[in-house]
Amino acid sequence: MTYTQTQDSWIGRARHHDDEDALRLLESDGTRVAEPTLDPWVSDLSPHELRALHRDMVLTRRLDAEGVALQRQGQLALWAPCRGQEATQVGTAHALAPGDFVFPSYREHGVLLGRGAQPADYVLAWRGEEHSAYDHTTINAAPPQIIIGAQSLHATGWAMGAQRDGSTDVAVAYYGDGATSQGDVNEAMVFASSFRAPVVFVCSNNQWAISEPVTVQSEFPLAGRAPGFGIPSLRIDGNDALACVAAMRWALDRARRGEGPSFLEAVTYRMGPHTTSDDPTRYREPGEVEAWAERDPIARLEAYLRAEGMLDDGGLAEVARAADALAAEVRAACIGATTRAPETIFDHVYAEPHAGLAQQKAEYAQYLAGFEVSR
């Protein structure tokens, strides 16, 4: 549904967070359906673009599985799985222009893939080898944010700067349903609305903020909050890649035309744990997970492409090989990483060295030397 500050009052609306009223273009079985709000925004998608959408979703899932495996094998300190959320991440990323800048949370592996991240970029920070893992200027993506919702402020500030530079580039903040309870997100929406900042807020409503269901955080769908800030919103099926492309194009177009921010609630599901340190079986019923598995985003798009004659067994095999190759490159980048000396942590704290920093580095080196075994 589309919500603005002047229509569709939420008073008395159904108190649910399922996807039954979310806008979609593909049903769970891959059947294409008409949706007047979204249809115009994907009418020009070519078979090549649709296959690329599917390919990146498959690559994202394989990359995610490798990240989990590497953590279980002690090669990574932590990993935040994104299985089940590939359509939201890849679909919205495919709609972006090269100059747009994304501000992801720690789970947006598919967004980073869509922005051109390299194999090492996904794992070096989680291995503790780098602060950021990638050069944000080469893929136009800020470092993944661990502090819940903080990236919404960064995105809004970047958007206001682009606005003052006369640029048509747009900022995008990605966060989960839990972040909507954070003050940072609400403050960012106030600024974005007041200054008509060219920013899109993408909320991946995956139903769970660690062990707390979204229904505890909000009685009503999250898309209904944005109009209170004067920000139009769409509530879309986050497991429908076509709907995600369309909604993002709609929001980006508004921003580029100077109409200000938009809010997208992508209704999806986190199939795995919150992170590899979480056990979701302690708070989720198996039946719930099984029900959402039937709405799998990759299977849905694959069924549609097969029905339209755009994808066959040969194409699927080629995609599977590409996914395995990416996973192998990620694993090699992780295991082959060179751990630098501990005291190099001081090397890039400031642009120029100074006496105080040199003293701290020397003291830290002396501290480390205390652990050396004398011979």
Side-chain angles (χ1 to χ4, degrees):
M1 289 189 173
T2 308
Y3 303 105
T4 70
Q5 58 268 44
T6 59
Q7 72 181 58
D8 289 306
S9 169
W10 282 90
I11 303 300
R13 287 194 57 81
R15 300 179 180 182
H16 67 87
H17 285 271
D18 205 338
D19 63 352
E20 63 185 58
D21 72 340
L23 302 181
R24 65 175 54 87
L25 293 170
L26 294 178
E27 297 288 2
S28 295
D29 63 359
T31 302
R32 179 71 161 86
V33 294
E35 207 304 304
T37 301
L38 300 180
D39 275 324
W41 297 103
V42 292
S43 60
D44 64 333
L45 285 179
S46 68
H48 172 75
E49 290 172 313
L50 290 169
R51 285 192 295 269
L53 194 62
H54 171 267
R55 179 182 183 275
D56 281 359
M57 289 167 64
V58 173
L59 262 62
T60 297
R61 180 165 294 184
R62 184 65 182 86
L63 159 69
D64 185 55
E66 196 65 26
V68 172
L70 285 166
Q71 193 282 329
R72 298 307 191 204
Q73 294 161 10
Q75 298 296 334
L76 299 178
L78 190 72
W79 185 261
C82 69
R83 183 180 178 88
Q85 299 179 219
E86 296 91 353
T88 296
Q89 296 184 9
V90 174
T92 56
H94 269 233
L96 297 171
D100 296 333
F101 206 101
V102 303
F103 293 80
S105 77
Y106 43 76
R107 201 183 305 280
E108 267 76 44
H109 313 307
V111 174
L112 296 179
L113 185 143
R115 298 305 280 168
Q118 298 303 302
D121 295 343
Y122 301 103
V123 290
L124 292 189
W126 295 113
R127 189 177 169 87
E129 307 292 358
E130 298 285 350
H131 292 301
S132 172
Y134 51 79
D135 180 354
H136 68 275
T137 63
T138 62
I139 65 173
N140 273 18
Q145 181 59 256
I146 298 297
I147 302 173
I148 305 299
Q151 67 273 25
S152 58
L153 288 170
H154 306 157
T156 301
W158 190 96
M160 292 171 65
Q163 181 185 58
R164 283 151 180 75
D165 288 341
S167 171
T168 59
D169 295 331
V170 180
V172 184
Y174 287 90
Y175 49 79
D177 48 283
T180 61
S181 295
Q182 294 287 345
D184 285 359
V185 170
N186 292 273
E187 291 161 10
M189 293 174 73
V190 169
F191 268 85
S193 178
S194 297
F195 293 95
R196 299 178 71 85
V199 57
V200 181
F201 300 104
V202 179
C203 174
S204 297
N205 178 3
N206 66 17
Q207 310 302 312
W208 291 93
I210 309 183
S211 60
E212 183 172 281
V214 66
T215 49
V216 173
Q217 295 196 75
S218 175
E219 286 191 84
F220 301 96
L222 301 172
R225 292 184 176 185
F229 296 93
I231 300 176
S233 66
L234 292 179
R235 189 168 198 261
I236 59 173
D237 186 333
N239 284 9
D240 176 357
L242 295 189
C244 293
V245 173
M248 194 62 161
R249 284 181 164 186
W250 167 82
L252 292 169
D253 181 70
R254 291 192 68 257
R256 297 195 210 286
R257 289 189 286 107
E259 295 186 9
S262 302
F263 180 96
L264 305 180
E265 179 191 358
V267 186
T268 181
Y269 194 78
R270 166 171 54 80
M271 296 301 296
H274 175 72
T275 69
T276 46
S277 63
D278 172 43
D279 178 7
T281 63
R282 298 180 64 184
Y283 54 83
R284 294 197 310 203
E285 295 295 329
E288 176 183 307
V289 180
E290 292 169 4
W292 278 95
E294 296 176 358
R295 310 174 196 181
D296 185 83
I298 296 178
R300 183 182 305 197
L301 182 58
E302 183 178 313
Y304 169 70
L305 294 178
R306 277 184 173 276
E308 294 295 315
M310 300 182 197
L311 189 64
D312 57 19
D313 290 343
L316 287 173
E318 183 180 346
V319 170
R321 287 192 294 270
D324 286 342
L326 174 60
E329 291 173 354
V330 169
R331 173 170 287 273
C334 176
I335 297 177
T338 300
T339 301
R340 293 175 292 179
E343 57 267 26
T344 60
I345 193 172
F346 294 93
D347 289 352
H348 301 290
V349 176
Y350 293 95
E352 299 292 338
H354 58 80
L357 190 66
Q359 180 180 349
Q360 290 180 46
K361 186 173 182 178
E363 291 174 350
Y364 185 53
Q366 184 178 8
Y367 166 76
L368 293 173
F371 293 97
E372 295 180 0
V373 179
S374 59
R375 301 191 182 194

